[in-house]
Amino acid sequence: MVCLNNMPREYRIRFLPIDRVAPAAEGDNLLEIAMKAGVHINASCGGNGACGKCKVRIAEGSVASSPHRCLSDDEYGKGFRLACSSTVNAGAVVEIPLESQVDRSILRKPAIRDDADAAALIEGSIRDNAFEPLVVKHYLELPGPNPNDNVSDAARLARGFVPGKDGSEMAVPLEVLGDLGKKLRDAHWKVTVTAASNERFREAVLVEEGNRERVHYALAVDVGTTTVCAQLIDCGRGNSGDVKGAPSGNPPVIAESADYNGQISYGEDVISRIMYSRKKGGLKRLQDIVVSTMNRLIEDLIGSACVDAADISHVVVAGNTTMMHLLFGIDPKHIMLAPYTPLATAFAPVSSRRIGLKLGGHARLYTVPGVASYVGGDIVSGVALSGMTSRDEVSLFMDIGTNGEIVLGNSQWLLCASCSAGPAFEGGGIQFGMRAAPGAIEKVRINPANLEPMMITVDRAKPLGICGSGLIDIVAELFMAGAIDQNGKFAEKRSSPRIRKGVSGYEYVLCFAAETKIDKDIVITEVDLDNIMRTKAAVYAGCKVLLENGSLAFPDLGMVIIAGGFGHSIDIEKAVAIGLLPEIPVERFRFLGNGSLGGARMAAVSRSFFEKTGVIARSMTNIELSNNTQFMDEFMAAMFLPHTDEKAFPEVMRVLKTGYRS
Amino acid sequence: MVCLNNMPREYRIRFLPIDRVAPAAEGDNLLEIAMKAGVHINASCGGNGACGKCKVRIAEGSVASSPHRCLSDDEYGKGFRLACSSTVNAGAVVEIPLESQVDRSILRKPAIRDDADAAALIEGSIRDNAFEPLVVKHYLELPGPNPNDNVSDAARLARGFVPGKDGSEMAVPLEVLGDLGKKLRDAHWKVTVTAASNERFREAVLVEEGNRERVHYALAVDVGTTTVCAQLIDCGRGNSGDVKGAPSGNPPVIAESADYNGQISYGEDVISRIMYSRKKGGLKRLQDIVVSTMNRLIEDLIGSACVDAADISHVVVAGNTTMMHLLFGIDPKHIMLAPYTPLATAFAPVSSRRIGLKLGGHARLYTVPGVASYVGGDIVSGVALSGMTSRDEVSLFMDIGTNGEIVLGNSQWLLCASCSAGPAFEGGGIQFGMRAAPGAIEKVRINPANLEPMMITVDRAKPLGICGSGLIDIVAELFMAGAIDQNGKFAEKRSSPRIRKGVSGYEYVLCFAAETKIDKDIVITEVDLDNIMRTKAAVYAGCKVLLENGSLAFPDLGMVIIAGGFGHSIDIEKAVAIGLLPEIPVERFRFLGNGSLGGARMAAVSRSFFEKTGVIARSMTNIELSNNTQFMDEFMAAMFLPHTDEKAFPEVMRVLKTGYRS
């Protein structure tokens, strides 16, 4: 018997500005209610009260919540609460402040800016890999059977597929055999067969009446922790003789789209996702959510390109190892537990319906293989695209996001590592840090004389916070202006209205409240500086360890390839000034853009490229940096601006000492 | 509205001697009621009233049925009816006469009599093919992960499986990944992995805690049109070092069983089955039935060997092309329609659960590939087993059942054909024909002086009918005794109480009613003789066409390999006397036994043997004999005893003319 008096009371929670009402029982967690209702509130730490990102304002009603170190008394008084630390005790209207909302507008930009730099870099990949999609579509006019030629229908199809061969190159599975006899005869032996690549043979996955060769599409998807980017590729165009010359290997992208990975409501980094996946039903929920995100993108792509989803023959996905575990619904637990062993880094092709994609039953899902828990298929995809494995000169490949993944090598050998850089450059751990969305301060110059800043925000919107490239600029400028010392601490001797003592030590005021969209001073604190120092030191130390393992030094590098959206916007000179990037001739730096997506796209249209990703993944030697003493030494040495080894940054040191830029 | 008066009336039909009662509605077909009730009544023609085999006696009650040419007035008067041509009009007790019942006792014999002949023949296959089951089981003591070695769990498993390799030889599919992480850790990295062979790589299908290497079984199954034979093989024994020497390649069979293919209730030959499969739900029903037969055998085998079904790792099936279509539930229609194209002759491995076998979810089903509609995997299996493709001398392989399948060739080339021999040697189209079950007359000698016979029945039971080897003996003896002429017609000059004019021309009385179990004279008629002539002529003509296509003659043959249960019991000398087999030195004939089962067994324990079956199937050139003028000419020439070309049978002709056997 349940006593009615003991039943939890029911309330209604209204979220603004999205204006969505969710039912809730007394004691329910506010962040969880929002999650269930599909209302986005940023929560970097996965809801454990550590990050303080999930600030909301209780506009009406109340919640049960105590003060928190991330909330000032003033904020608390104004009704601000951390959603993750609040429980329902009455009906309420919850305002989600601008900083806590997800901004989608940034994502409308093409994921790859096809600028000359990236194009030149991947030219080799395009040239070296023949146009042969992982799933091909061939129109066959088969000779009908006769008494002198009455091989099986399956053998006839296979023989027609690879003329002159005995047909053993193509398997025809039971699914296709089902109605094959009728289909072939109804079509008078004129059919289009769609054949998927397996390890070393083809498998018929669809037989259609008549010539449908040109109606043949593929999807390339980069499943990132934050963002999912997808492109729709017209494989049918590359199929036809008349345009074979031009787009050979250069897949015609006919639509592209991107969206935040729906999983960000469950934590901003992979660790929070893994934590969530360990809750009951968590793994399944995270899988469902990323699949929903992908399905939303598919709908978007086919809508804008006027393509039928049933005509998409295959999908190639690249993503980090955790994302792949969650996509396939397999337990990622050990990725976060030492010694960090993933369950798998390579996945056999499966039917895309297997994970719930809304495509035809025949559409195959291929995955670019990864290397280790923190060096995933997204990196392998980018490395393959960059062509560094086809060159004899040694390249350093860097993808700096939450983790800095780095790969060193050439056509003979490959070393890789992930240097837990921390999320500073994506806004994590930085008081006013944010992603590169509108309002993010992305470029900063500081007048050395009076420390007055000049800045540019994304889309020129009123400042909301500071994104990665802005942070690099600020640190470099404050350092070169002498406002902070080589330890990243404010030089107290510089008196300026912009340098002041705040709640957590000294801080520099970039924008005063009146100038911002958030009615608060946007500052950079010594705590922020320390976080940036750690991040840049980790990346530099990681590179150093890889180089030493290859008995090389920075000057030996023929090329430094910077991949990823963040990399694309940074100012090389400033990044060198703070010691994030090494001081080598600037022309050796190359920007690749979204290498993960680019590689997935190449794999979709080139079986040889896809096979190469497997070879690359297997030949990469992963150097584990956690608990690596060499790395710890290098890290400590790099916790200095630009570096304790000043000889490695002669030009930076010269400018610092002379104030003269050559 | 349904008017109750129009509802068909319900009756009960009791079948004897099995004593099973089935409900039936007015107008229901009696044969179909029996089928549904699981009561066996022979019906060679699939229930179309043509064969007259489904004779039953209405002991009580009545059925609606008119007289039929296969029923004498006397029989009709005694209450005999053809079940296929009778419909229910009242309750009834239906007696199934002995001749119409299926006798299972014959099947208890081992499917292969491992006599010296067969053993010597397959010795080469055993020697040349290493013991490496299609699905292997290996115990691995994996090193646990550590910071210097933290590859994925899947890669660790694969690497442990093929030490020294990078693991790309084994795939670990999603099904196995599901709980792999927990399993490996619970087992402290000591696990037994079961890995199945795919085209050119292995796939993990099961991971078990601890060392389970020796608990590893396979099934070999010959799915025949009439009989399904199965053997349970202990692959675990071959796995262990201590016994590796002895059974290498020679799989230890620990249990064997056989049963009639449940489909025989739906027609005795493949054509009747295909006809039935075209009815609504027919294909599904035939699939279900053969799978039930297989499941019954599996139960039998695991029961007698005390093995857990979950420990069976794989099944290898060999059967004719129609049987494989029905097993996989794919439409066999075009097998019976010119130009006789099957839907498929090779099938990719599938989960055995896919077709409904009661085995573990990981158990794989492999199929020996076939060549054409009438040259199936059963023949390829036997050819591979016989070792003829490893020898330079030319062999002729013959499997004489309902169709005579023949293969000619050596290590360089292979020709094959199916010569619609007709079911005479299996009792079809012969008035008192029957299979080699107890009571079947299997050996006959006839005194040339008075034409009195001496005969032996299977199991020495009271005569019920005549089986194939008996028919060959009778024809040869009647011919050599001068009772029938070279056209197979009774020589009227021989007056004997055993030669008389019957309803369908002259006939020879082998047993008088009193001596039989059926209280009827067992005779052989001129119609029977004509059917036997057609059968032997078709086989001989088929061989002749193959030889001519290879520019060879019978004397060029190094070996004639006779496969199949029927072949095993025939008297070579008599078969040569009637011109079924060619007159060549008797020592060149070899008996293989059930080559289909033997080959499936070899494939189960030898991946190289299985791969060889694929190579053999693809390299066989099938000569289509229907509508082949060369075949028709040879067939007409062979419609003579022993043959119109007497020079091809010099010894037979010499004995015939001199009466002296050398």
Side-chain angles (χ1 to χ4, degrees):
Chain A
M1 286 283 288
V2 174
C3 172
L4 275 177
N5 290 339
N6 287 341
M7 290 279 282
R9 300 179 63 182
E10 287 287 338
Y11 297 108
R12 287 156 60 86
I13 308 293
R14 171 185 299 263
F15 291 97
L16 293 178
I18 193 174
D19 199 13
R20 188 171 293 172
V21 177
E26 186 153 1
D28 280 357
N29 180 285
L30 195 57
L31 189 63
E32 286 180 359
I33 296 165
M35 280 178 187
K36 274 188 203 149
V39 174
H40 273 296
I41 303 176
N42 288 346
S44 324
C45 63
N48 60 21
C51 72
K53 290 277 175 188
C54 60
K55 236 175 256 180
V56 296
R57 197 177 76 85
I58 310 303
E60 290 175 32
S62 71
V63 294
S65 183
S66 39
H68 188 277
R69 59 174 171 80
C70 294
L71 292 171
S72 66
D73 290 350
D74 180 47
E75 284 175 326
Y76 194 81
K78 283 182 178 161
F80 282 95
R81 300 290 182 273
L82 291 190
C84 72
S85 311
S86 303
T87 55
V88 168
N89 64 2
V93 174
V94 178
E95 267 182 24
I96 303 169
L98 225 44
E99 317 103 291
S100 286
Q101 287 173 41
V102 165
D103 190 317
R104 282 196 161 71
S105 58
I106 176 77
L107 299 164
R108 293 198 197 104
K109 288 190 233 168
I112 275 200
R113 303 185 199 170
D114 271 322
D115 60 19
D117 207 10
L121 200 56
I122 67 176
E123 196 182 299
S125 290
I126 292 174
R127 197 183 48 235
D128 297 346
N129 293 285
F131 180 87
E132 190 200 1
L134 280 173
V135 178
V136 295
K137 224 167 159 172
H138 284 336
Y139 172 58
L140 309 176
E141 295 193 356
L142 301 169
N146 66 62
N148 296 318
D149 173 21
N150 59 357
V151 298
S152 73
D153 293 356
R156 187 173 304 274
L157 194 73
R159 205 180 54 179
F161 185 79
V162 189
K165 295 295 183 69
D166 63 2
S168 62
E169 290 79 11
M170 187 169 77
V172 185
L174 280 180
E175 295 78 2
V176 174
L177 281 178
D179 62 350
L180 182 66
K182 185 173 185 321
K183 222 174 218 176
L184 287 174
R185 286 167 183 82
D186 286 354
H188 305 290
W189 305 94
K190 293 179 177 31
V191 294
T192 303
V193 60
T194 304
S197 301
N198 284 332
E199 196 75 359
R200 284 180 192 83
F201 62 101
R202 295 274 191 184
E203 187 167 54
V205 291
L206 182 68
V207 177
E208 296 169 279
E209 186 166 339
N211 189 343
R212 305 261 302 159
E213 262 185 9
R214 291 194 177 214
V215 189
H216 176 32
Y217 303 93
L219 287 171
V221 186
D222 163 42
V223 179
T225 310
T226 304
T227 313
V228 180
C229 303
Q231 293 182 326
L232 180 62
I233 302 154
D234 185 350
C235 297
R237 277 202 240 166
N239 241 343
S240 59
D242 50 330
V243 292
K244 197 173 270 167
S248 140
N250 198 355
V253 174
I254 55 172
E256 54 190 352
S257 187
D259 197 354
Y260 282 105
N261 183 336
Q263 294 174 343
I264 53 174
S265 303
Y266 297 78
E268 296 201 2
D269 55 29
V270 296
I271 298 300
S272 340
R273 306 277 171 88
I274 296 174
M275 295 292 284
Y276 187 83
S277 77
R278 299 184 66 174
K279 297 184 180 174
K280 192 168 149 54
L283 180 58
K284 179 74 176 64
R285 184 148 179 80
L286 290 178
Q287 183 187 28
D288 289 348
I289 284 177
V290 69
V291 169
S292 305
T293 297
M294 288 173 72
N295 278 330
R296 213 159 44 233
L297 290 179
I298 290 172
E299 226 170 87
D300 196 12
L301 292 172
I302 63 175
S304 70
C306 291
V307 161
D308 188 339
D311 293 323
I312 295 176
S313 307
H314 58 296
V315 184
V316 179
V317 171
N320 67 50
T321 304
T322 301
M323 287 305 109
M324 292 302 100
H325 278 60
L326 298 179
L327 182 64
F328 287 115
I330 60 172
D331 186 4
K333 179 170 66 178
H334 292 279
I335 290 177
M336 59 172 279
L337 301 175
Y340 318 112
T341 50
L343 199 44
T345 52
F347 300 87
V350 295
S351 162
S352 62
R353 283 223 185 128
R354 173 77 180 268
I355 60 159
L357 290 185
K358 289 181 183 160
L359 295 174
H362 69 287
R364 285 294 173 98
L365 178 73
Y366 295 86
T367 315
V368 178
V371 179
S373 276
Y374 296 101
V375 181
D378 50 347
I379 300 304
V380 171
S381 189
V383 166
L385 183 73
S386 78
M388 65 184 274
T389 61
S390 306
R391 290 187 289 268
D392 291 334
E393 66 171 21
V394 175
S395 301
L396 177 66
F397 177 100
M398 307 173 77
D399 188 332
I400 307 166
T402 302
N403 286 296
E405 289 111 337
I406 47 182
V407 182
L408 180 75
N410 62 7
S411 54
Q412 304 297 313
W413 53 273
L414 290 166
L415 296 176
C416 66
S418 166
C419 33
S420 324
F425 293 140
E426 297 197 320
I430 305 296
Q431 193 175 343
F432 290 90
M434 66 178 289
R435 296 198 203 90
I441 297 165
E442 60 170 349
K443 286 185 190 302
V444 180
R445 292 294 177 271
I446 294 172
N447 186 329
N450 56 11
L451 299 187
E452 278 306 302
M454 178 172 82
M455 69 190 78
I456 293 176
T457 62
V458 174
D459 285 1
R460 308 288 191 277
K462 247 188 159 182
L464 271 172
I466 317 163
C467 68
S469 59
L471 290 171
I472 292 171
D473 279 6
I474 293 166
V475 179
E477 292 283 307
L478 287 176
F479 175 54
M480 300 308 274
I484 56 175
D485 62 20
Q486 289 195 287
N487 287 306
K489 303 291 176 202
F490 282 98
E492 288 170 60
K493 60 178 187 238
R494 289 298 300 256
S495 78
S496 151
R498 290 200 174 256
I499 296 186
R500 67 188 188 196
K501 199 152 188 167
V503 265
S504 54
Y506 282 96
E507 60 190 26
Y508 171 80
V509 184
L510 202 59
C511 307
F512 288 102
E515 310 151 355
T516 72
K517 206 169 179 180
I518 54 174
D519 290 330
K520 272 182 288 193
D521 294 350
I522 294 178
V523 303
I524 187 148
T525 68
E526 278 191 348
V527 175
D528 294 341
L529 289 173
D530 195 57
N531 276 325
I532 296 167
M533 292 282 278
R534 287 177 184 282
T535 297
K536 77 100 188 170
V539 172
Y540 189 87
C543 296
K544 202 76 191 302
V545 171
L546 283 200
L547 283 164
E548 281 168 20
N549 270 275
S551 303
L552 294 170
F554 284 112
D556 299 323
L557 294 174
M559 204 181 276
V560 174
I561 298 158
I562 297 174
F566 162 65
H568 200 61
S569 62
I570 64 174
D571 182 327
I572 293 290
E573 198 191 330
K574 304 295 170 198
V576 173
I578 69 166
L580 167 66
L581 296 179
E583 193 182 302
I584 57 170
V586 71
E587 64 274 14
R588 296 198 197 163
F589 289 97
R590 295 283 196 295
F591 294 105
L592 183 63
N594 187 340
S596 172
L597 181 64
R601 187 182 58 216
M602 279 299 297
V605 297
S606 172
R607 186 176 176 175
S608 67
F609 184 92
F610 181 68
E611 282 165 6
K612 190 187 290 171
T613 62
V615 173
I616 290 173
R618 286 192 295 271
S619 60
M620 272 196 204
T621 303
N622 181 44
I623 312 276
E624 191 59 54
L625 298 183
S626 57
N627 299 322
N628 177 313
T629 53
Q630 190 189 1
F631 175 73
M632 288 313 295
D633 292 346
E634 289 293 345
F635 176 77
M636 293 315 295
M639 280 292 284
F640 206 68
L641 289 174
H643 195 276
T644 45
D645 177 15
E646 296 187 353
K647 287 194 296 296
F649 291 84
E651 178 64 12
V652 173
M653 293 312 296
R654 198 186 59 75
V655 172
L656 189 65
K657 282 165 184 161
T658 65
Y660 173 75
R661 301 185 192 196
S662 66
Chain B
M1 286 281 288
V2 174
C3 173
L4 275 177
N5 291 337
N6 287 341
M7 290 279 281
R9 301 179 63 181
E10 289 286 339
Y11 297 107
R12 288 156 60 86
I13 308 294
R14 171 186 298 264
F15 290 97
L16 294 178
I18 194 174
D19 199 13
R20 188 170 293 171
V21 177
E26 185 153 1
D28 279 358
N29 179 284
L30 195 57
L31 189 64
E32 286 180 358
I33 296 165
M35 281 178 187
K36 273 187 202 149
V39 175
H40 272 295
I41 303 177
N42 287 347
S44 326
C45 63
N48 60 21
C51 72
K53 290 276 176 188
C54 60
K55 236 175 256 181
V56 296
R57 198 177 77 83
I58 308 304
E60 289 175 34
S62 71
V63 295
S65 183
S66 39
H68 188 278
R69 59 177 172 75
C70 295
L71 292 171
S72 66
D73 289 351
D74 180 47
E75 285 176 325
Y76 194 81
K78 284 183 178 157
F80 282 96
R81 300 290 183 274
L82 291 191
C84 72
S85 310
S86 303
T87 55
V88 168
N89 64 2
V93 174
V94 178
E95 268 182 23
I96 302 169
L98 226 45
E99 316 103 291
S100 287
Q101 288 174 39
V102 165
D103 189 316
R104 282 197 161 70
S105 59
I106 177 78
L107 298 165
R108 292 198 196 105
K109 287 190 231 170
I112 275 200
R113 303 185 199 170
D114 272 321
D115 59 19
D117 207 11
L121 200 57
I122 67 178
E123 195 182 297
S125 290
I126 292 174
R127 197 185 47 236
D128 297 346
N129 293 286
F131 180 86
E132 190 199 1
L134 281 173
V135 178
V136 295
K137 226 167 156 171
H138 285 337
Y139 172 59
L140 309 176
E141 295 193 356
L142 300 169
N146 66 62
N148 297 318
D149 173 21
N150 59 358
V151 298
S152 72
D153 292 355
R156 187 173 304 275
L157 195 72
R159 205 180 55 180
F161 185 80
V162 189
K165 294 296 181 68
D166 63 1
S168 63
E169 291 79 11
M170 188 169 77
V172 184
L174 280 181
E175 296 79 2
V176 174
L177 281 178
D179 62 350
L180 182 67
K182 186 175 184 322
K183 222 173 217 175
L184 287 173
R185 287 168 182 82
D186 286 354
H188 305 290
W189 306 93
K190 293 177 178 29
V191 294
T192 302
V193 60
T194 303
S197 302
N198 283 333
E199 196 75 359
R200 284 180 194 83
F201 62 102
R202 296 273 191 184
E203 187 166 53
V205 291
L206 182 69
V207 176
E208 296 169 279
E209 186 164 340
N211 189 344
R212 305 261 302 159
E213 261 186 6
R214 289 193 180 216
V215 190
H216 176 32
Y217 302 93
L219 287 172
V221 186
D222 163 43
V223 178
T225 310
T226 305
T227 313
V228 181
C229 304
Q231 293 182 327
L232 181 63
I233 302 155
D234 185 351
C235 297
R237 277 202 238 166
N239 240 346
S240 60
D242 51 329
V243 292
K244 198 172 269 169
S248 140
N250 198 354
V253 174
I254 54 171
E256 53 189 352
S257 186
D259 197 354
Y260 282 104
N261 183 334
Q263 294 173 343
I264 53 173
S265 304
Y266 298 78
E268 295 201 1
D269 55 29
V270 296
I271 299 300
S272 339
R273 307 276 171 87
I274 297 173
M275 294 292 284
Y276 187 82
S277 78
R278 300 184 67 177
K279 295 184 182 174
K280 192 170 149 55
L283 179 58
K284 180 74 177 64
R285 184 148 179 81
L286 290 178
Q287 182 186 29
D288 289 349
I289 284 177
V290 69
V291 169
S292 306
T293 298
M294 289 173 73
N295 278 329
R296 213 159 43 231
L297 291 179
I298 291 171
E299 227 170 88
D300 197 13
L301 292 172
I302 62 176
S304 70
C306 290
V307 161
D308 188 339
D311 292 324
I312 295 175
S313 306
H314 58 297
V315 184
V316 180
V317 171
N320 67 50
T321 304
T322 301
M323 287 306 108
M324 292 302 99
H325 278 61
L326 298 179
L327 183 64
F328 287 115
I330 60 172
D331 186 5
K333 180 169 67 177
H334 291 281
I335 290 178
M336 59 172 279
L337 301 175
Y340 317 112
T341 49
L343 200 43
T345 51
F347 300 87
V350 295
S351 163
S352 63
R353 282 222 184 130
R354 172 77 179 268
I355 60 158
L357 291 185
K358 289 180 183 160
L359 295 174
H362 69 287
R364 283 294 172 100
L365 178 73
Y366 294 86
T367 315
V368 178
V371 179
S373 277
Y374 296 101
V375 181
D378 49 348
I379 301 303
V380 171
S381 189
V383 166
L385 183 72
S386 78
M388 65 184 274
T389 61
S390 306
R391 291 186 289 267
D392 291 334
E393 65 171 21
V394 175
S395 301
L396 178 65
F397 177 99
M398 307 173 77
D399 189 333
I400 306 167
T402 301
N403 286 296
E405 290 111 336
I406 48 183
V407 182
L408 181 75
N410 62 5
S411 54
Q412 303 298 313
W413 53 272
L414 289 167
L415 294 176
C416 65
S418 166
C419 32
S420 323
F425 293 140
E426 297 198 319
I430 306 295
Q431 194 174 341
F432 288 91
M434 67 178 288
R435 296 196 203 93
I441 298 166
E442 59 170 350
K443 285 183 192 303
V444 181
R445 292 294 177 271
I446 294 172
N447 184 331
N450 58 11
L451 300 188
E452 277 306 302
M454 179 171 84
M455 69 190 79
I456 292 176
T457 61
V458 173
D459 286 1
R460 308 289 192 276
K462 247 189 158 181
L464 270 174
I466 317 164
C467 70
S469 59
L471 290 171
I472 292 171
D473 279 4
I474 293 167
V475 178
E477 292 284 308
L478 287 176
F479 175 53
M480 299 309 274
I484 55 173
D485 62 20
Q486 290 194 288
N487 286 307
K489 302 292 177 200
F490 281 100
E492 288 172 57
K493 59 181 187 232
R494 290 299 298 257
S495 77
S496 152
R498 290 201 173 254
I499 296 185
R500 67 189 189 193
K501 201 152 188 164
V503 265
S504 54
Y506 281 95
E507 60 190 28
Y508 172 80
V509 184
L510 201 60
C511 305
F512 288 103
E515 310 152 356
T516 72
K517 206 167 180 179
I518 54 175
D519 289 330
K520 270 183 289 193
D521 295 350
I522 294 178
V523 302
I524 188 149
T525 69
E526 278 192 347
V527 175
D528 294 341
L529 289 173
D530 195 56
N531 276 325
I532 295 167
M533 294 281 278
R534 286 176 185 284
T535 297
K536 77 100 187 171
V539 172
Y540 189 87
C543 295
K544 202 76 192 301
V545 171
L546 283 200
L547 283 165
E548 280 169 21
N549 270 276
S551 303
L552 294 169
F554 284 112
D556 298 324
L557 295 174
M559 204 182 273
V560 174
I561 298 158
I562 298 173
F566 161 65
H568 200 59
S569 62
I570 65 173
D571 182 326
I572 293 289
E573 198 191 329
K574 305 295 170 196
V576 172
I578 68 166
L580 168 65
L581 297 179
E583 193 182 303
I584 56 169
V586 71
E587 64 274 15
R588 296 197 196 163
F589 289 97
R590 294 282 196 295
F591 293 106
L592 182 63
N594 187 340
S596 173
L597 181 64
R601 187 182 58 217
M602 279 298 299
V605 298
S606 171
R607 186 177 176 175
S608 67
F609 184 91
F610 181 68
E611 281 166 6
K612 191 187 290 171
T613 63
V615 173
I616 290 173
R618 286 192 294 272
S619 60
M620 273 196 204
T621 303
N622 181 44
I623 312 275
E624 191 58 53
L625 298 184
S626 58
N627 299 321
N628 177 313
T629 52
Q630 191 189 1
F631 176 72
M632 289 313 293
D633 292 346
E634 288 293 346
F635 176 76
M636 292 315 294
M639 280 292 283
F640 205 67
L641 290 175
H643 195 274
T644 44
D645 177 15
E646 296 187 351
K647 287 193 297 295
F649 291 83
E651 178 63 13
V652 173
M653 292 314 296
R654 197 186 59 74
V655 172
L656 189 66
K657 281 165 185 162
T658 65
Y660 174 74
R661 300 184 191 196
S662 67

